Amino acid sequence: MAKKRSAKPAQGRRGSKAGLVLSLGSSALAVIRASKQVRRAKGTHDKLNTADAVAGMLPLITSAALVLRQLRGRKRENPEAA
């Protein structure tokens, strides 16, 4: 049975800025990898494979957006630490 991957930010270091930045970086790398998969699928002209690759990217993009929102919220709460 395949192990499910989670697109959620790192749970253990959620409070620290370094943990959020690390989570954002890993999400960005996952999006890059998924976009390469989309390009490969488009190259083969397989619509089902392309749709699957695009659908796989959506949670990754959402995860990156959530982490960015948390980082921006931290900046607004504590502007001198930014």
Side-chain angles (χ1 to χ4, degrees):
M1 187 158 73
K3 186 177 179 182
K4 286 190 174 187
R5 293 184 182 172
S6 175
K8 290 191 271 183
Q11 295 291 344
R13 296 182 176 252
R14 175 169 267 167
S16 71
K17 186 174 181 178
L20 289 173
V21 171
L22 183 64
S23 181
L24 181 62
S26 65
S27 292
L29 288 175
V31 167
I32 290 169
R33 184 173 177 267
S35 66
K36 287 181 182 180
Q37 183 183 0
V38 169
R39 271 190 259 131
R40 270 195 309 267
K42 285 176 79 175
T44 62
H45 302 292
D46 184 357
K47 290 182 182 181
L48 188 58
N49 238 355
T50 303
D52 181 48
V54 169
M57 269 179 79
L58 295 177
L60 299 171
I61 293 168
T62 303
S63 174
L66 288 171
V67 172
L68 276 173
R69 183 173 68 181
Q70 286 180 345
L71 283 172
R72 287 181 184 152
R74 286 170 114 355
K75 270 188 183 174
R76 286 188 194 128
E77 291 172 3
N78 197 1
E80 66 273 356

